[in-house]
mmCIF file of all heavy atoms in Angstrom:
data_model
loop_
_atom_site.group_PDB
_atom_site.id
_atom_site.type_symbol
_atom_site.label_atom_id
_atom_site.label_comp_id
_atom_site.label_asym_id
_atom_site.label_seq_id
_atom_site.Cartn_x
_atom_site.Cartn_y
_atom_site.Cartn_z
ATOM 1 N N GLY A 38 -2.435 -13.902 2.710
ATOM 2 C CA GLY A 38 -1.455 -14.577 3.594
ATOM 3 C C GLY A 38 -0.457 -15.346 2.744
ATOM 4 O O GLY A 38 0.757 -15.335 2.963
ATOM 5 N N LEU A 39 -0.933 -16.080 1.712
ATOM 6 C CA LEU A 39 -0.075 -16.812 0.792
ATOM 7 C C LEU A 39 0.852 -15.864 0.084
ATOM 8 O O LEU A 39 2.037 -16.146 -0.081
ATOM 9 C CB LEU A 39 -0.848 -17.682 -0.147
ATOM 10 C CG LEU A 39 -1.554 -18.920 0.417
ATOM 11 C CD1 LEU A 39 -2.556 -19.452 -0.599
ATOM 12 C CD2 LEU A 39 -0.565 -19.975 0.816
ATOM 13 N N ARG A 40 0.279 -14.770 -0.385
ATOM 14 C CA ARG A 40 1.079 -13.775 -1.111
ATOM 15 C C ARG A 40 2.268 -13.231 -0.312
ATOM 16 O O ARG A 40 3.399 -13.270 -0.800
ATOM 17 C CB ARG A 40 0.136 -12.618 -1.570
ATOM 18 C CG ARG A 40 0.778 -11.384 -2.111
ATOM 19 C CD ARG A 40 -0.185 -10.329 -2.457
ATOM 20 N NE ARG A 40 0.340 -9.046 -2.797
ATOM 21 C CZ ARG A 40 -0.386 -7.937 -3.006
ATOM 22 N NH1 ARG A 40 -1.672 -8.023 -2.992
ATOM 23 N NH2 ARG A 40 0.233 -6.744 -3.234
ATOM 24 N N PHE A 41 2.020 -12.793 0.907
ATOM 25 C CA PHE A 41 3.124 -12.285 1.734
ATOM 26 C C PHE A 41 4.024 -13.372 2.232
ATOM 27 O O PHE A 41 5.250 -13.152 2.432
ATOM 28 C CB PHE A 41 2.552 -11.466 2.862
ATOM 29 C CG PHE A 41 1.996 -10.113 2.422
ATOM 30 C CD1 PHE A 41 0.660 -9.790 2.544
ATOM 31 C CD2 PHE A 41 2.833 -9.186 1.888
ATOM 32 C CE1 PHE A 41 0.157 -8.586 2.105
ATOM 33 C CE2 PHE A 41 2.363 -7.966 1.410
ATOM 34 C CZ PHE A 41 1.065 -7.620 1.548
ATOM 35 N N GLY A 42 3.446 -14.576 2.495
ATOM 36 C CA GLY A 42 4.309 -15.657 2.944
ATOM 37 C C GLY A 42 5.276 -16.119 1.885
ATOM 38 O O GLY A 42 6.477 -16.310 2.149
ATOM 39 N N CYS A 43 4.852 -16.199 0.633
ATOM 40 C CA CYS A 43 5.681 -16.576 -0.479
ATOM 41 C C CYS A 43 6.724 -15.433 -0.736
ATOM 42 O O CYS A 43 7.909 -15.729 -0.987
ATOM 43 C CB CYS A 43 4.867 -16.817 -1.775
ATOM 44 S SG CYS A 43 3.946 -18.356 -1.738
ATOM 45 N N ALA A 44 6.284 -14.184 -0.627
ATOM 46 C CA ALA A 44 7.215 -13.063 -0.803
ATOM 47 C C ALA A 44 8.294 -13.129 0.267
ATOM 48 O O ALA A 44 9.473 -12.912 -0.094
ATOM 49 C CB ALA A 44 6.444 -11.793 -0.783
ATOM 50 N N ALA A 45 7.901 -13.357 1.483
ATOM 51 C CA ALA A 45 8.901 -13.463 2.545
ATOM 52 C C ALA A 45 9.871 -14.573 2.313
ATOM 53 O O ALA A 45 11.100 -14.387 2.463
ATOM 54 C CB ALA A 45 8.240 -13.612 3.916
ATOM 55 N N LEU A 46 9.377 -15.721 1.895
ATOM 56 C CA LEU A 46 10.285 -16.912 1.686
ATOM 57 C C LEU A 46 11.285 -16.522 0.568
ATOM 58 O O LEU A 46 12.513 -16.826 0.662
ATOM 59 C CB LEU A 46 9.399 -18.083 1.232
ATOM 60 C CG LEU A 46 10.269 -19.352 0.959
ATOM 61 C CD1 LEU A 46 11.000 -19.831 2.199
ATOM 62 C CD2 LEU A 46 9.226 -20.488 0.493
ATOM 63 N N MET A 47 10.805 -15.868 -0.554
ATOM 64 C CA MET A 47 11.726 -15.603 -1.643
ATOM 65 C C MET A 47 12.791 -14.568 -1.180
ATOM 66 O O MET A 47 13.968 -14.662 -1.562
ATOM 67 C CB MET A 47 10.926 -15.030 -2.832
ATOM 68 C CG MET A 47 10.196 -16.140 -3.609
ATOM 69 S SD MET A 47 9.434 -15.527 -5.147
ATOM 70 C CE MET A 47 7.956 -14.781 -4.479
ATOM 71 N N LEU A 48 12.421 -13.655 -0.316
ATOM 72 C CA LEU A 48 13.379 -12.671 0.166
ATOM 73 C C LEU A 48 14.411 -13.295 1.074
ATOM 74 O O LEU A 48 15.576 -12.957 1.030
ATOM 75 C CB LEU A 48 12.608 -11.487 0.919
ATOM 76 C CG LEU A 48 11.824 -10.542 -0.001
ATOM 77 C CD1 LEU A 48 11.165 -9.511 0.904
ATOM 78 C CD2 LEU A 48 12.805 -9.802 -0.966
ATOM 79 N N PHE A 49 13.957 -14.246 1.888
ATOM 80 C CA PHE A 49 14.868 -14.997 2.778
ATOM 81 C C PHE A 49 15.878 -15.772 1.953
ATOM 82 O O PHE A 49 17.124 -15.827 2.247
ATOM 83 C CB PHE A 49 14.119 -15.941 3.710
ATOM 84 C CG PHE A 49 13.510 -15.247 4.932
ATOM 85 C CD1 PHE A 49 12.196 -15.432 5.237
ATOM 86 C CD2 PHE A 49 14.278 -14.440 5.694
ATOM 87 C CE1 PHE A 49 11.662 -14.838 6.352
ATOM 88 C CE2 PHE A 49 13.735 -13.747 6.825
ATOM 89 C CZ PHE A 49 12.389 -13.972 7.114
ATOM 90 N N VAL A 50 15.427 -16.443 0.910
ATOM 91 C CA VAL A 50 16.320 -17.203 -0.071
ATOM 92 C C VAL A 50 17.326 -16.189 -0.691
ATOM 93 O O VAL A 50 18.525 -16.583 -0.792
ATOM 94 C CB VAL A 50 15.503 -17.929 -1.118
ATOM 95 C CG1 VAL A 50 16.410 -18.524 -2.125
ATOM 96 C CG2 VAL A 50 14.663 -19.031 -0.453
ATOM 97 N N TRP A 51 16.807 -15.076 -1.145
ATOM 98 C CA TRP A 51 17.681 -14.047 -1.747
ATOM 99 C C TRP A 51 18.777 -13.575 -0.761
ATOM 100 O O TRP A 51 19.990 -13.536 -1.120
ATOM 101 C CB TRP A 51 16.861 -12.861 -2.173
ATOM 102 C CG TRP A 51 17.620 -11.682 -2.722
ATOM 103 C CD1 TRP A 51 17.934 -10.539 -1.957
ATOM 104 C CD2 TRP A 51 18.237 -11.534 -4.015
ATOM 105 N NE1 TRP A 51 18.664 -9.694 -2.760
ATOM 106 C CE2 TRP A 51 18.921 -10.280 -3.990
ATOM 107 C CE3 TRP A 51 18.351 -12.335 -5.081
ATOM 108 C CZ2 TRP A 51 19.630 -9.818 -5.073
ATOM 109 C CZ3 TRP A 51 19.075 -11.875 -6.227
ATOM 110 C CH2 TRP A 51 19.663 -10.620 -6.179
ATOM 111 N N LEU A 52 18.411 -13.399 0.464
ATOM 112 C CA LEU A 52 19.345 -12.955 1.476
ATOM 113 C C LEU A 52 20.407 -14.037 1.748
ATOM 114 O O LEU A 52 21.591 -13.773 1.894
ATOM 115 C CB LEU A 52 18.635 -12.577 2.792
ATOM 116 C CG LEU A 52 17.819 -11.274 2.764
ATOM 117 C CD1 LEU A 52 16.914 -11.191 3.993
ATOM 118 C CD2 LEU A 52 18.758 -10.076 2.699
ATOM 119 N N ALA A 53 19.935 -15.286 1.781
ATOM 120 C CA ALA A 53 20.863 -16.409 2.065
ATOM 121 C C ALA A 53 21.863 -16.583 0.899
ATOM 122 O O ALA A 53 22.988 -16.776 1.127
ATOM 123 C CB ALA A 53 20.023 -17.671 2.298
ATOM 124 N N ILE A 54 21.375 -16.458 -0.360
ATOM 125 C CA ILE A 54 22.236 -16.627 -1.492
ATOM 126 C C ILE A 54 23.287 -15.586 -1.489
ATOM 127 O O ILE A 54 24.473 -15.798 -1.769
ATOM 128 C CB ILE A 54 21.425 -16.586 -2.803
ATOM 129 C CG1 ILE A 54 20.528 -17.846 -2.890
ATOM 130 C CG2 ILE A 54 22.347 -16.502 -3.993
ATOM 131 C CD1 ILE A 54 19.598 -17.819 -4.067
ATOM 132 N N ARG A 55 22.882 -14.315 -1.151
ATOM 133 C CA ARG A 55 23.881 -13.204 -1.161
ATOM 134 C C ARG A 55 24.726 -13.147 0.125
ATOM 135 O O ARG A 55 25.581 -12.318 0.195
ATOM 136 C CB ARG A 55 23.090 -11.903 -1.370
ATOM 137 C CG ARG A 55 22.428 -11.790 -2.737
ATOM 138 C CD ARG A 55 21.625 -10.507 -2.848
ATOM 139 N NE ARG A 55 22.488 -9.343 -2.683
ATOM 140 C CZ ARG A 55 23.173 -8.694 -3.625
ATOM 141 N NH1 ARG A 55 23.141 -9.113 -4.810
ATOM 142 N NH2 ARG A 55 23.855 -7.633 -3.317
ATOM 143 N N GLY A 56 24.411 -13.975 1.093
ATOM 144 C CA GLY A 56 25.168 -13.941 2.342
ATOM 145 C C GLY A 56 24.929 -12.702 3.171
ATOM 146 O O GLY A 56 25.805 -12.281 3.943
ATOM 147 N N GLU A 57 23.723 -12.124 2.959
ATOM 148 C CA GLU A 57 23.392 -10.966 3.777
ATOM 149 C C GLU A 57 22.731 -11.321 5.116
ATOM 150 O O GLU A 57 22.243 -12.494 5.259
ATOM 151 C CB GLU A 57 22.453 -10.009 2.979
ATOM 152 C CG GLU A 57 23.109 -9.541 1.666
ATOM 153 C CD GLU A 57 22.256 -8.537 0.926
ATOM 154 O OE1 GLU A 57 21.319 -8.013 1.536
ATOM 155 O OE2 GLU A 57 22.515 -8.314 -0.282
#
Side-chain angles (χ1 to χ4, degrees):
L39 288 169
R40 170 181 168 183
F41 286 116
C43 288
L46 180 60
M47 284 189 280
L48 288 177
F49 281 130
V50 171
W51 172 258
L52 288 168
I54 292 174
R55 293 177 59 86
E57 297 185 18

